[in-house]
Amino acid sequence: MTDPSTGSGTHGEQEADAWLIVIDPQAIFASPDSAWGSPFFAEAMPRIRALAASFGERVLVTRWMPTADRSTSWGDYFAAWPFADQPSSDALFALVPEAAALSAHPTLDLPTFGKWGPEIEAVVGRGAHVVLTGVSTDCCVISTALAAADAGAHVTVAADACAGSTAENHAAAVQVMGLYPPQITISDSATVLAAR
């Protein structure tokens, strides 16, 4: 049912039509041995899995890949983080085992922090409702959320299904994303699940 005042669906329909985007559940961000490993990833992963089960086939998983043009500022980035300057086939960039079966769709592999762009929009549609989860809250999640909002998507961040580099950086990123209502809504996995 369309709300005549806005031309959009009711809240319940919006939730039913939403897509779950799981951002970069990769070894490089999950492993305690990685310089980029989040100490909170293992805690977030069961919530991500519960959400993915609820969203069924409406789940997309992204991967960050080290394929950016080194002649740009990414060259400086990889000089600062040489451990990540590896071939795309390196095990660092593989999905963690718990994420391997989250989506029936191919992973969206991108060389950017933010994952929102034509690749995701081609699947979910313009102005879609999306729920963001993944890692790290203070880098790839916030970059994706802000770009999605700019593109007109309706964004919900399931904050307890996101993992930051530190507790302080997670909280800071959530606070910044919370400055963008009504385009970005900060929520949690239980609330998202209850609305489905």
Side-chain angles (χ1 to χ4, degrees):
M1 171 185 234
T2 300
D3 181 341
S5 65
T6 65
S8 62
T10 62
H11 180 71
E13 286 179 333
Q14 292 170 353
E15 292 300 327
D17 290 341
W19 283 79
L20 180 72
I21 300 175
V22 183
I23 299 169
D24 303 352
Q26 295 164 266
I28 193 169
F29 304 119
S31 172
D33 300 329
S34 169
W36 290 348
S38 168
F40 308 101
F41 187 86
E43 183 181 337
M45 197 65 220
R47 298 180 184 122
I48 292 171
R49 288 172 59 86
L51 288 166
S54 172
F55 279 75
E57 295 191 358
R58 300 175 76 84
V59 178
L60 294 177
V61 176
T62 71
R63 291 193 306 167
W64 178 81
M65 298 304 279
T67 53
D69 182 353
R70 302 302 193 272
S71 70
T72 68
S73 65
W74 283 103
D76 298 332
Y77 185 81
F78 284 104
W81 298 103
F83 91 102
D85 195 1
Q86 304 296 331
S88 299
S89 58
D90 193 283
L92 282 171
F93 309 113
L95 297 179
V96 298
E98 299 87 351
L102 290 181
S103 176
H105 302 273
T107 59
L108 294 173
D109 298 341
L110 297 165
T112 50
F113 296 134
K115 299 306 184 293
W116 190 267
E119 297 86 358
I120 287 180
E121 209 167 57
V123 178
V124 304
R126 191 164 183 272
H129 289 78
V130 294
V131 176
L132 301 185
T133 66
V135 65
S136 71
T137 321
D138 43 302
C139 184
C140 295
V141 174
I142 190 171
S143 297
T144 302
L146 297 183
D150 268 350
H154 305 266
V155 180
T156 298
V157 178
D160 65 338
C162 296
S165 60
T166 67
E168 295 77 14
N169 289 345
H170 170 85
V174 169
Q175 181 181 15
V176 169
M177 290 185 284
L179 298 175
Y180 290 82
Q183 289 169 298
I184 300 177
T185 300
I186 305 300
S187 189
D188 57 54
S189 55
T191 302
V192 173
L193 287 169
R196 297 204 47 83

